[in-house]
Amino acid sequence: MTWWGQIIFNIIGGAIVALLTWLSLWLFKRYQKYDFKKVFGKDISDNFFVVYGEMKIRPLFEKDGRPVSWPYHKPGGKGFFNVNLIVSFTETKSAKYISETFGKAGGTSPKLVSDNEIKEKLDVSFLSIGGYNNFKTIDVLNCKENIYYDLKTSIDPVVIVAKGDKTVFSIKDNYDYGFIIKIRPVSFPNRTWIAVAGLGEWGTSGAVWYLSKNWKKLPKNKSFGMIIKVKGYQDESAEVVHKIVT
């Protein structure tokens, strides 16, 4: 083979290698996005919402003059809440976790909105962050398809397994708990509703971290509920301690 023939051969060979490399990456990303849709639903491409809950501050003192322990409330909702910042760092951090995962695995970006913006909308796909401070989480908890967990708010909030042995999870020994509930409502079978909430701040952010980092391990094309145990201040300690798949 002449020297110029060798050059042409090398160029063609390099082009084939580059093409095969590009094709393998394209196929991998396409398969990953296809797999991602099995968890988060078909709306990931253009119509999926990540929903945070809006809160307002209460009067700072009780009637007897004592400072209030739970200074935030949900307008139009129930219960009181305690976060470090009015714009909860827990929710912004959680939204960052899940948005990054959408970008890497789904090749898209979800729409970040407050719960008040889509409070009246049901024919949508969403992931809500937070418990009774988020109207979309309330929609999931109250939906008849939620056969997984109940969230009870009181001085010491708990998560209760909805059926079976009625196991109760509560904050204890610096460990918080959160839940992940995914359903497809009967009235809107083409939509995916996912709610992630914790008893405390670390239960919420730890559960969202687990979801964003371990979505490949989650049941595909199925509804499910999971309880996530999280050590305080360590989102990456999150682990599944209870699971129901239907």
Side-chain angles (χ1 to χ4, degrees), residues 110-124:
K111 300 174 183 178
L112 181 63
V113 298
S114 75
D115 60 330
N116 282 310
E117 291 179 68
I118 62 169
K119 178 181 178 181
E120 306 301 330
K121 295 183 179 296
L122 296 176
D123 191 12
V124 293

Side-chain angles (χ1 to χ4, degrees), residues 40 43-44 46-50 102 110-111 125-127 192:
F40 292 92
D43 286 333
I44 63 163
D46 57 6
N47 198 32
F48 192 97
F49 296 89
V50 172
F102 264 69
K111 300 174 183 178
S125 293
F126 64 83
L127 185 153
T192 299

Side-chain angles (χ1 to χ4, degrees), residues 18 50 68-69 124 138 140 142 147 153 158 161 178 204 218 234:
V50 172
V68 297
S69 299
V124 293
I138 294 172
V140 172
N142 291 340
I147 60 173
T153 58
V158 298
V161 177
T204 299
L218 301 183
Q234 293 183 349

Side-chain angles (χ1 to χ4, degrees), residues 225-238:
M226 292 181 174
I227 297 293
I228 310 297
K229 182 179 180 181
V230 187
K231 187 175 183 179
Y233 301 93
Q234 293 183 349
D235 288 343
E236 295 180 15
S237 68

Side-chain angles (χ1 to χ4, degrees), residues 15-31:
I16 292 174
V17 170
L19 177 61
L20 291 175
T21 300
W22 174 85
L23 182 61
S24 63
L25 288 173
W26 181 81
L27 289 173
F28 172 78
K29 290 181 179 180
R30 187 174 179 85
Y31 174 78

Side-chain angles (χ1 to χ4, degrees), residues 15-233:
I16 292 174
V17 170
L19 177 61
L20 291 175
T21 300
W22 174 85
L23 182 61
S24 63
L25 288 173
W26 181 81
L27 289 173
F28 172 78
K29 290 181 179 180
R30 187 174 179 85
Y31 174 78
Q32 182 172 253
K33 185 173 182 179
Y34 175 74
D35 223 25
F36 194 69
K37 285 184 178 182
K38 292 181 180 180
V39 177
F40 292 92
K42 67 179 183 62
D43 286 333
I44 63 163
S45 298
D46 57 6
N47 198 32
F48 192 97
F49 296 89
V50 172
V51 188
Y52 64 89
E54 290 184 349
M55 291 184 289
K56 291 186 177 180
I57 195 165
R58 300 169 55 207
L60 295 179
F61 296 94
E62 304 285 5
K63 292 181 179 180
D64 60 7
R66 292 180 296 109
V68 297
S69 299
W70 300 80
Y72 300 99
H73 74 106
K74 180 69 181 177
K78 64 178 181 179
F80 302 122
F81 308 93
N82 184 17
V83 295
N84 292 325
L85 298 170
I86 293 178
V87 178
S88 172
F89 177 60
T90 297
E91 295 193 2
T92 56
K93 177 173 59 171
S94 298
K96 180 176 180 289
Y97 286 153
I98 205 68
S99 295
E100 288 178 347
T101 298
F102 264 69
K104 292 177 181 178
T108 185
S109 297
K111 300 174 183 178
L112 181 63
V113 298
S114 75
D115 60 330
N116 282 310
E117 291 179 68
I118 62 169
K119 178 181 178 181
E120 306 301 330
K121 295 183 179 296
L122 296 176
D123 191 12
V124 293
S125 293
F126 64 83
L127 185 153
S128 59
I129 301 171
Y132 281 118
N133 65 324
N134 192 312
F135 288 126
K136 304 317 289 181
T137 297
I138 294 172
D139 285 342
V140 172
L141 290 171
N142 291 340
C143 185
K144 64 181 180 181
E145 286 80 27
N146 173 28
I147 60 173
Y148 309 106
Y149 305 113
D150 294 326
L151 177 62
K152 302 297 183 183
T153 58
S154 59
I155 295 177
D156 296 311
V158 298
V159 177
I160 304 173
V161 177
K163 292 187 177 182
D165 58 9
K166 300 286 186 179
T167 304
V168 175
F169 297 90
S170 60
I171 298 174
K172 185 178 181 181
D173 297 332
N174 198 36
Y175 281 93
D176 197 355
Y177 290 89
F179 64 74
I180 303 170
I181 299 174
K182 173 192 171 182
I183 61 174
R184 287 184 174 175
V186 171
S187 300
F188 308 101
N190 292 322
R191 306 303 182 190
T192 299
W193 293 3
I194 302 174
V196 187
L199 298 176
E201 292 183 83
W202 296 102
T204 299
S205 59
V208 175
W209 180 90
Y210 183 89
L211 174 63
S212 66
K213 299 300 181 182
N214 295 280
W215 66 266
K216 292 181 181 179
K217 301 178 182 179
L218 301 183
K220 306 297 190 296
N221 292 328
K222 292 183 179 181
S223 297
F224 63 83
M226 292 181 174
I227 297 293
I228 310 297
K229 182 179 180 181
V230 187
K231 187 175 183 179
Y233 301 93

